[in-house]
Amino acid sequence: MKNSLLGKKLIRDCVTGIIMSSVSSDVFFDDEKLQQGADENFVEMEVFDILDQARRENPALTRKEEITIAVNLCKEKLRLLSDSDEKEERTLRQGYLDKLIQLGLEKQTIDDEDGEKEEIVRVRGHSFVIQPIRGRNPTCEVCMTTIWKLMHAWRRCKYCGLRTHDKCTSSVGRMCASSLVTRRDFSLNMNICQEQGLAAQNYRCHECAHPLSFVICPSSEESSTLEPRLCDYSGLYFCSSCHWNDQMTIPARVLHNLDSEPRPVSRASKQLLAMIDNRPLIPLAAANPMLIKLNSSLKRITRIRSDFLFMKCYFVSCRSARQLRILQYLCRHQHFVESADLYTMSEMRDIVSGKLLEEMEDIHQVFVKHITEECETCKGNAFICELCTDKQIIFPFSDNVSMCCKCLAVYHHKCFELRSRFCPRCERRSKRAPVDIDPNERL
C-alpha cells in the first residue's frame, strides 16, 4: 500500500511539473487547485489504462461495458481510500467520486437513447423494474439502508411502488398489494379494528416476526426497532422497519363515522390503501344503510346517482349525446352509471368535505338540460301521465313521479297512488297479448 501511494505521489509531481512548465511564470498558482487538477489527471490516466487493457483482451467491448468496468474500478479505489484522513487522500477520493458521477450520468444517457427495457424481476407478486439514477436517494424497504443511486442499482415495483436494492429483491418477504387486490375473494376491512395486544402476536412483528416490547431501554441501540407500532387498518403491531408511521384514511372509520382523518398504518396497509383509492369497492348502502337516512348530503347523492342510471338510457339511444360524449362529464366517476351503490375511498373523503355533492349537482344540471331542453330525441322519449288530464311531459328522474315496475311507464306519484298503482299501459298490453290455443282443440 505504501509503495502504491508513493508511486501516485511521484506521478502527481510529474504532472504538476508539466502543468507549471506550460504556463508563464507571471501566473499565480493556487496549491489546492493545482493538487486537485493533478489528482483528476491521475484518475483519468488510471481509468484510461484499465480500459485500454480491457479493449486489448476484448476488441468487441461496447461503451456500456467499458463504463461498467470503470465504475467497478472507482468503487474499489473508494473502498481502499475510505479509512484515510490525509488531505491528499481526501482530494484523490473526491476525484474518484467525481469520475463515478460522470460515468453514471453517461450510462444513463446511453440507456435513454437506446430505449433499452431492463429485465423485470418477479418476486411474490411484485414486478421490479430497474430505475434511473436521477432524483433523490430513496430507502431500501428490505435492508432499510439508503439507496445511493450513483453507486447502487435499484428497482421499484411498478404496481405497489416498493423500492429495493437490486441485490435485495430476492429477500423481499411482503406480498404485492396488486396480487391481493386482484383476488376474487378480496374485500376491504369494513370493521373498525380493536387492539389485540402484543401477546396475541407472541410479542413479534406481524410481518417480519421481529421481537417487540413496550419496555425499551433508552441506552440500547435496538430500542427503535423494538418499539411496537399499531396499524389502524389491520389492528396489528409492526416493527419500525415495517411501519414508517405513514398516515392514510381508514375505510371503516369513513363508512361508519364519516371520519376521514388520516391515521398511522403499516407499509403493507399503506400500499394496499393507495392502490384501491380510486377503485369502487365500498358498498355504502349495504354496509351502513342508516348513514344514508340520517345524512342529508348522502341522501341527495344517492338520489342523483339513481337519476344518472335513468339518464344513461336516454344518452345511449341519443346520437347527439354520443357525439358530445356527454357521459365524460363524470370523468373519474364512470361507475356512477354502472351501479348506484359503490363508492371509492377518494369519493368518501369528498363526501365528508362536501366536494362530491357540489360536483354531482353541476353534472346533474348539465344532463337534465340536455334531455329536457336541448335534445329533441330525448324529449321525444318523455312520458305523459295517463291517470290525469295534465299533459305536461315527465321523466323517470323528475320530482314526485312513480314508475311501474313491470312496463316502466311513468306517472305522477299522487295519481299512481290514488289509482292503487293501476297501470293503463300494462292493461293494454295484457289485452293485446296472444291467447294460447291448445292444438288438440283445433282438431
Side-chain angles (χ1 to χ4, degrees):
M1 183 67 180
K2 291 182 179 179
N3 293 332
S4 62
L5 293 177
L6 181 60
K8 294 174 184 177
K9 292 179 180 179
L10 290 174
I11 294 175
R12 285 199 298 269
D13 293 340
C14 294
V15 175
T16 304
I18 294 172
I19 295 174
M20 293 183 66
S21 62
S22 62
V23 184
S24 59
S25 59
D26 56 342
V27 179
F28 175 75
F29 290 95
D30 188 343
D31 292 340
E32 292 185 358
K33 292 183 178 179
L34 190 61
Q35 184 70 27
Q36 183 177 1
D39 288 330
E40 291 177 356
N41 287 325
F42 174 73
V43 172
E44 293 288 346
M45 290 170 56
E46 196 169 14
V47 171
F48 176 80
D49 290 340
I50 193 172
L51 291 181
D52 184 58
Q53 181 181 355
R55 292 189 193 101
R56 292 177 182 176
E57 297 175 357
N58 184 10
L61 206 63
T62 63
R63 180 55 184 165
K64 194 171 181 180
E65 292 172 342
E66 292 179 356
I67 292 174
T68 303
I69 295 173
V71 166
N72 293 334
L73 172 67
C74 294
K75 288 182 178 180
E76 181 64 22
K77 295 298 182 181
L78 286 171
R79 188 181 65 82
L80 295 175
L81 296 171
S82 60
D83 298 332
S84 178
D85 293 332
E86 296 182 9
K87 182 178 180 181
E88 295 180 357
E89 302 305 327
R90 289 201 305 269
T91 307
L92 187 60
R93 187 164 60 243
Q94 184 62 40
Y96 281 115
L97 185 59
D98 293 340
K99 185 62 178 177
L100 189 63
I101 294 173
Q102 177 188 348
L103 292 170
L105 293 175
E106 184 179 355
K107 182 180 178 182
Q108 184 63 41
T109 303
I110 294 174
D111 291 343
D112 293 343
E113 290 177 354
D114 295 343
E116 180 181 4
K117 293 185 178 179
E118 299 289 347
E119 179 186 1
I120 297 178
V121 178
R122 292 180 171 85
V123 180
R124 296 185 65 80
H126 299 278
S127 293
F128 290 107
V129 182
I130 204 74
Q131 296 298 306
I133 62 175
R134 299 188 181 93
R136 300 176 60 184
N137 295 320
T139 300
C140 176
E141 299 191 36
V142 177
C143 64
M144 297 304 297
T145 58
T146 302
I147 301 175
W148 299 102
K149 295 183 178 180
L150 292 173
M151 303 178 65
H152 302 148
W154 70 291
R155 294 179 179 270
R156 183 176 183 270
C157 178
K158 62 181 182 179
Y159 298 124
C160 68
L162 189 143
R163 296 163 293 187
T164 175
H165 289 104
D166 188 22
K167 62 182 180 181
C168 295
T169 52
S170 59
S171 302
V172 174
R174 183 187 308 158
M175 282 292 297
C176 183
S178 64
S179 300
L180 301 176
V181 172
T182 53
R183 290 178 178 175
R184 292 184 178 180
D185 58 346
F186 172 77
S187 61
L188 279 175
N189 185 7
M190 296 301 177
N191 298 317
I192 299 177
C193 296
Q194 298 180 355
E195 298 182 35
Q196 299 179 2
L198 279 178
Q201 299 180 206
N202 198 21
Y203 296 93
R204 292 185 177 275
C205 172
H206 177 71
E207 182 173 329
C208 66
H210 190 280
L212 299 176
S213 175
F214 283 111
V215 181
I216 299 175
C217 179
S219 60
S220 175
E221 295 181 357
E222 299 182 355
S223 59
S224 59
T225 60
L226 293 174
E227 175 192 1
R229 296 181 178 180
L230 178 66
C231 174
D232 201 82
Y233 174 72
S234 61
L236 300 170
Y237 285 96
F238 297 82
C239 65
S240 58
S241 299
C242 304
H243 193 312
W244 294 5
N245 284 326
D246 299 306
Q247 295 197 349
M248 299 289 289
T249 303
I250 309 302
R253 296 187 181 276
V254 180
L255 179 64
H256 296 289
N257 302 330
L258 288 181
D259 179 9
S260 62
E261 188 71 21
R263 285 178 167 78
V265 295
S266 65
R267 291 295 295 173
S269 298
K270 188 255 184 183
Q271 293 167 357
L272 177 67
L273 293 176
M275 183 166 292
I276 58 92
D277 194 61
N278 292 314
R279 298 192 182 191
L281 296 173
I282 302 178
L284 184 60
N288 192 0
M290 290 300 298
L291 188 63
I292 299 176
K293 296 180 180 180
L294 299 176
N295 188 282
S296 58
S297 298
L298 270 176
K299 187 182 297 184
R300 176 57 183 165
I301 291 174
T302 303
R303 170 62 193 275
I304 291 176
R305 291 194 59 173
S306 177
D307 291 347
F308 284 164
L309 294 177
F310 291 127
M311 293 175 181
K312 178 185 176 182
C313 300
Y314 284 84
F315 295 148
V316 169
S317 60
C318 176
R319 181 181 300 177
S320 176
R322 292 198 301 269
Q323 292 176 349
L324 294 173
R325 298 182 178 180
I326 196 167
L327 286 176
Q328 288 190 355
Y329 276 94
L330 287 172
C331 192
R332 60 190 179 93
H333 308 293
Q334 288 295 323
H335 55 280
F336 280 11
V337 292
E338 297 173 0
S339 68
D341 184 31
L342 296 178
Y343 291 85
T344 66
M345 274 300 300
S346 60
E347 290 167 352
M348 294 300 295
R349 289 194 299 270
D350 291 341
I351 288 174
V352 177
S353 63
K355 295 180 181 179
L356 184 63
L357 180 57
E358 297 177 1
E359 184 180 358
M360 292 299 103
E361 289 284 9
D362 294 338
I363 298 174
H364 189 265
Q365 291 179 6
V366 173
F367 287 0
V368 170
K369 185 176 181 180
H370 173 84
I371 295 174
T372 60
E373 299 178 12
E374 298 176 348
C375 181
E376 294 297 329
T377 303
C378 294
K379 287 172 64 177
N381 290 323
F383 293 85
I384 296 177
C385 181
E386 301 181 37
L387 301 177
C388 66
T389 58
D390 188 1
K391 301 303 179 182
Q392 185 69 28
I393 59 174
I394 54 178
F395 297 88
F397 50 84
S398 301
D399 295 330
N400 301 319
V401 297
S402 295
M403 179 182 293
C404 175
C405 59
K406 293 183 179 180
C407 66
L408 304 182
V410 181
Y411 307 96
H412 294 126
H413 180 70
K414 289 184 178 180
C415 300
F416 200 51
E417 293 298 327
L418 286 174
R419 297 290 298 272
S420 300
R421 307 185 72 83
F422 167 74
C423 178
R425 191 179 185 184
C426 290
E427 185 180 14
R428 289 194 302 270
R429 287 185 174 182
S430 63
K431 291 180 180 180
R432 292 198 302 265
V435 179
D436 294 334
I437 301 176
D438 191 356
N440 297 325
E441 294 181 358
R442 293 181 181 180
L443 299 176

